[in-house]
Amino acid sequence: MRAFKKPVTLGLIVGSRLFFNGQPALAARAQVVAQLEKLGVAVKTMPAEATENGAVQSRKDAALYGDFFRAHRDEIDGLVILLPNFGDEVAISECVSRAALNVPILLQASNDEIDKVDVHSRRDAFCGKISVTNNFYQYGIRFTDTSAHTLDVDGGEFGDDLARFAAVCRTVRGLKNARIGAIGARTSPFHTMRYSEKLLQASGITVVTVDLSEIIGAASALSADDRDVRAKLDEIAAYGAIPATIKRENIVKQACFSIAVDRWIEENDCDASSIQCWRSLQDNFGCASCLSMSMMGEKLMPSACEVDVMGAVSMYALALASKAPPAILDWNNNYGRDRDKCVCTHCGNFPKSFTGDTPEISNLDVLGEVIGREKCFGAVKGKVKSGPMTFFRLSTDDRHGTIKAYVGEGAFTDDPFPMDGGIAVTTVPRLRALLSFISRNGFEHHVAMVRGHHAAIVEEAITGYLDWPIYRHERPEPATPLLVR
């Protein structure tokens, strides 16, 4: 929850040139602050009185603002640069270079009005933005463009751009400093879940490991009389519908396991986790892990099954981009002869709001048939309700020494599918092309999904600021917002 407790904080630069009217610079400052306040985004900038018209329009101003931002670098997640007029491209570039924040940058330029282009009213920001971007290219400064080349600071279009940009900043900030728990060992036959911990660490992502026996030991030390266990039992009862046939002792085991996992994650400051979900846990303790993972995901602390660390990172990225609970699923079944439709499933780990309905909490079906249902309580079952969705997968590619990804958008449908567990009937445009890409590039069968369309945010964060190659399936034209490198 670290990334969600701290609001996004953006540094603000207003660019201007001395021979232009200074009032638009002051107005733009007030307008963008009002836009960001609506979004719950904090602003870090110097007072307007620090420079003429509250703007950066000389090398002296650039040094003043650059040093200010550098002093507050631990607080700033991104920069917003406004060009209410042509701006001073050298001052702006030197300011960003001197601050050396290495954070995302959103560059805006204001509209001229056709009846206000006299020498005292004209802005020329349309042209000035190109001059700034040319200097950014020379300096090697990356930035995010707005959805239109010029737009009004107080308009809804720029408000949407600011909201997307804040999400990009949150995603970049979260992934650069993520801590991912790996609870238990990879089940031996699951070579699919192999990954490179070293490649993750090179990108700032730390994996924290623990043997499953330690979690089982901590869970075994708890009893139904413990205060935390009683509270967890109440939480479970409110989370979904439990059939009357389920024994209370099995629910208690699940509560104890959840508490042990919760405590370990808190002690190790983890943002997301992956768990050895079968079958050691069932054989040696007597419950499933699905419910624990589902409840953590509902709190924006996503957890992937089968010790899928890269799946956990993928889920966390979607949570950062959307502020909604993601899930990990299998690309699992065709749907009749519809080539753009498939069924995505998992045993029962979907967060309940991802499903969209109150789930049933009962026993694992497939594993229960093999080892006995008495050992398998904790599966969260339900069919995902229709609506837009985003899919995303990260993978470490040791053959090429990089982290790679794909992302795209589709929808959940209400089509029936009579299978047990968590079920999502999914439609994706040109699904066959996507599956061919996944297969030919060695991606896993697991995929992270979240409700809503957030692919542009994920793509921009990864392509522009994290340097991981990514495939965007069915990219819209033009993409919004665009990333210029």
Side-chain angles (χ1 to χ4, degrees), residues 2-128:
R2 294 183 303 163
F4 302 99
K5 289 180 179 178
K6 178 188 174 188
V8 171
T9 298
L10 300 179
L12 173 62
I13 298 172
V14 181
S16 184
R17 279 204 166 168
L18 285 169
F19 53 77
F20 280 88
N21 182 351
Q23 287 307 304
L26 290 169
R29 170 188 282 258
Q31 289 166 351
V32 76
V33 168
Q35 290 263 37
L36 292 171
E37 284 180 352
K38 289 180 186 177
L39 296 172
V41 174
V43 179
K44 184 67 66 172
T45 192
M46 299 197 70
E49 299 77 22
T51 59
E52 188 172 350
N53 300 317
V56 172
Q57 46 195 351
S58 68
R59 294 188 70 245
K60 181 181 178 182
D61 296 342
L64 189 67
Y65 267 76
D67 290 345
F68 172 82
F69 289 136
R70 183 188 286 269
H72 295 276
R73 64 183 308 145
D74 291 340
E75 305 168 54
I76 296 173
D77 303 308
L79 284 176
V80 174
I81 301 175
L82 305 181
L83 298 177
N85 57 45
F86 191 96
D88 189 307
E89 66 268 29
V90 174
I92 291 169
S93 300
E94 290 194 3
C95 179
V96 173
S97 181
R98 186 175 182 122
L101 298 178
N102 192 28
V103 296
I105 296 170
L106 180 66
L107 179 63
Q108 176 272 351
S110 292
N111 287 315
D112 267 308
E113 298 177 52
I114 293 175
D115 60 344
K116 295 180 181 178
V117 289
D118 59 274
V119 71
H120 299 294
S121 306
R122 62 190 293 178
R123 294 174 180 264
D124 293 2
F126 189 102
C127 181

Side-chain angles (χ1 to χ4, degrees), residues 327-461:
I328 195 83
L329 306 92
D330 287 350
W331 296 110
N332 207 72
N333 305 89
N334 62 286
Y335 195 84
R337 295 293 184 266
D338 192 329
R339 297 307 184 197
D340 282 346
K341 201 173 283 185
C342 67
V343 183
C344 297
T345 70
H346 249 170
C347 302
N349 62 337
F350 300 169
K352 68 176 183 179
S353 61
F354 177 87
T355 304
D357 224 337
T358 300
E360 174 188 308
I361 309 172
S362 56
N363 300 320
L364 293 169
D365 294 296
V366 175
L367 194 59
E369 288 293 309
V370 176
I371 67 173
R373 293 180 180 269
E374 286 296 299
K375 298 180 178 180
C376 295
F377 173 74
V380 179
K381 300 178 182 181
K383 187 174 179 298
V384 177
K385 282 192 170 182
S386 62
M389 69 86 178
T390 301
F391 57 86
F392 177 57
R393 178 71 197 188
L394 284 164
S395 182
T396 56
D397 189 330
D398 296 73
R399 295 173 67 88
H400 295 94
T402 188
I403 297 171
K404 62 185 180 183
Y406 68 85
V407 69
E409 295 172 347
F412 299 124
T413 79
D414 284 328
D415 295 298
F417 198 74
M419 182 184 280
D420 296 319
I423 304 298
V425 180
T426 302
T427 181
V428 175
R430 294 182 63 244
L431 177 61
R432 177 69 186 91
L434 173 64
L435 295 173
S436 179
F437 172 84
I438 291 170
S439 301
R440 290 180 182 275
N441 288 277
F443 281 93
E444 299 78 5
H445 63 284
H446 282 183
V447 61
M449 291 184 174
V450 74
R451 287 190 171 278
H453 285 166
H454 310 282
I457 294 167
V458 174
E459 181 189 21
E460 186 167 351

Side-chain angles (χ1 to χ4, degrees), residues 32 150 157 280:
V32 76
T150 57
E157 194 174 10
S280 178

